[in-house]
Every structure is written in structure tokens, then in C-alpha cells.
Amino acid sequence: QQPVQSPQAVILREGEDAVINCSSSKALYSVHWYRQKHGEAPVFLMILLKGGEQKGHEKISASFNEKKQQSSLYLTASQLSYSGTYFCGTDSTSGSARQLTFGSGTQLTVLP
Amino acid sequence: DGGITQSPKYLFRKEGQNVTLSCEQNLNHDAMYWYRQDPGQGLRLIYYSQIVNDFQKGDIAEGYSVSREKKESFPLTVTSAQKNPTAFYLCASSFNPGGRGGANVLTFGAGSRLTVL
């Protein structure tokens, strides 16, 4: 089942902060975050593993609450280059054939 | 440089025709995947392959077929049985991030946009 992302879209001014949420109805082993710029391939940002571990990437960080089956992506002091669509991918599979189920994406637009 | 090459980038096809999308990787990754992307629906898994000569259906496999004869190659055929094939198709491959467990981190190709006329 597809995780739910919110908000669907957000518009910021350069330097402002944003939070993107990802929620699943299933128990999760990990959560991945990817960013896709228009017309390009999605690019991996970070992985959050079971255990509530928080990871960071430049001024982008994320948290994972495994009890609530939720993850949040934090974009601090946003830059123009942060514009794009952000996808969370959740891993709730067991066994060796692990795979991700992606949310519908959050479109982030950073204006000068 | 290592990466994933998808071809063609744009493809037009008439209804009733099969079409094959190419995906080649030189990352020495074992696993390969095909995703379909539609506006507002994110990425949906079509097929994936963990090793050569083996593949599994994803969430939306109907109307699609794949093969994995070589580690580097994972072509996707969109058959005439696929009712709504117009979409953006993404191929990906993955490595295992050093024993951390969990789903493997994906590296994506640039995608192929298929339009059915």
C-alpha cells in the first residue's frame, strides 16, 4: 500500500524552512527519500533505518518514528536548488527480495 | 562514469503495437527494477530482478514483460495488452548498502517517455 505524503505541494521563498511528511499503514524496516527535478531521474537523498535514526544531507535532514510508521524530511534555509519533487519510499517487505513503495510525491518550489 | 542508460528517451507507438524499452547498467549492481511514473501517482513498481534469469512481478505487471539474460541488461516490453501505456518509465538498479539491511538504495536512469497515439 502506497505511503501518504503531505503536503502535496509547497512554495517557499529562498531561506525559508519546510517539512515534508510520509506516513505508512504498515510496519516499516526503512524509509528512503529521493528528489526528482523536472525531466530528470530521481536522486537518492538519504535512508532512515529502523531505530529512529536521524540522517542528514547538507541542510536537509530527516527523522523516522517507527512506532508511528512516519518519517519527516526537514529542509532548512532552503535554496533555489532544492526545488523539485520529493518522494518517500517505504520498505515494509520481509525476506530477501526487498523493495520500495513510493508515495505520490511533494512538489517543492523555492522562489528567489 | 558508471550509470544507467535508458533508450529511447522518447517513443511513440500506435495502439496494438508492442514496444521494448532498453535499460543497461555498468554499476555491477545485482538488482534491477522498472517503475512507471504518472502525474500525481508517484512511482509504481512494474517488475524487478534480483539476479540473472530471475524476475518477479511488482504491483502493476499486467501488460508488461521483462527478461534478464545478462546482469547489465533488463529490457521492458510494453505489450498491446497494457490498457493505458502512455507514461514515463524509469529503470533503476541497486546495491546493498554495506550490511545495514533494509531495501537497497536505488540509482535511476534518465527515463523513457512512451506516448501511444
Side-chain angles (χ1 to χ4, degrees):
Chain A
Q1 195 168 5
Q2 196 175 22
V4 177
Q5 282 187 241
S6 63
Q8 289 186 334
V10 58
I11 299 175
L12 302 172
R13 292 284 181 185
E14 204 172 1
E16 292 182 339
D17 301 339
V19 180
I20 300 172
N21 300 303
C22 176
S23 179
S24 174
S25 59
K26 296 183 176 182
L28 301 176
Y29 293 96
S30 66
V31 178
H32 297 216
W33 286 96
Y34 292 78
R35 177 172 63 204
Q36 183 180 30
K37 293 186 179 288
H38 184 68
E40 299 180 10
V43 174
F44 171 75
L45 291 177
M46 66 189 72
I47 180 172
L48 287 302
L49 302 175
K50 193 175 178 179
E53 195 172 355
Q54 186 165 351
K55 297 288 187 180
H57 172 79
E58 299 176 345
K59 292 184 179 178
I60 301 174
S61 61
S63 62
F64 175 27
N65 186 326
E66 62 187 82
K67 289 184 179 178
K68 292 185 177 180
Q69 296 149 201
Q70 294 175 344
S71 178
S72 294
L73 187 72
Y74 307 94
L75 297 100
T76 305
S78 58
Q79 305 170 12
L80 296 177
S81 62
Y82 287 1
S83 291
T85 301
Y86 290 77
F87 294 98
C88 68
T90 55
D91 172 21
S92 57
T93 51
S94 58
S96 60
R98 311 306 284 270
Q99 54 184 284
L100 294 177
T101 303
F102 286 91
S104 57
T106 296
Q107 188 171 354
L108 179 76
T109 304
V110 181
L111 301 174
Chain B
D1 288 339
I4 299 178
T5 302
Q6 288 188 242
S7 62
K9 190 171 183 179
Y10 298 97
L11 184 62
F12 298 89
R13 127 186 161 189
K14 293 181 180 179
E15 281 190 17
Q17 288 182 334
N18 292 353
V19 62
T20 298
L21 306 180
S22 171
C23 177
E24 303 278 334
Q25 56 102 356
N26 61 1
L27 299 166
N28 199 31
H29 286 173
D30 288 314
M32 296 187 74
Y33 311 80
W34 275 104
Y35 286 90
R36 170 180 171 141
Q37 187 173 27
D38 296 284
Q41 294 195 44
L43 306 170
R44 293 183 292 167
L45 183 63
I46 304 173
Y47 267 98
Y48 63 101
S49 169
Q50 298 283 320
I51 56 173
V52 174
N53 292 322
D54 187 44
F55 47 83
Q56 287 78 39
K57 293 181 179 180
D59 299 322
I60 56 165
E62 185 176 352
Y64 299 98
S65 65
V66 293
S67 63
R68 187 87 187 277
E69 297 177 0
K70 298 186 299 182
K71 186 177 183 177
E72 302 80 16
S73 179
F74 192 41
L76 174 74
T77 297
V78 185
T79 74
S80 56
Q82 168 51 233
K83 295 178 181 178
N84 185 20
T86 295
F88 188 53
Y89 292 88
L90 285 162
C91 178
S93 66
S94 70
F95 68 100
N96 186 341
R100 291 192 213 171
N104 297 336
V105 173
L106 300 176
T107 299
F108 286 90
S112 293
R113 186 167 296 281
L114 172 63
T115 302
V116 175
L117 304 173

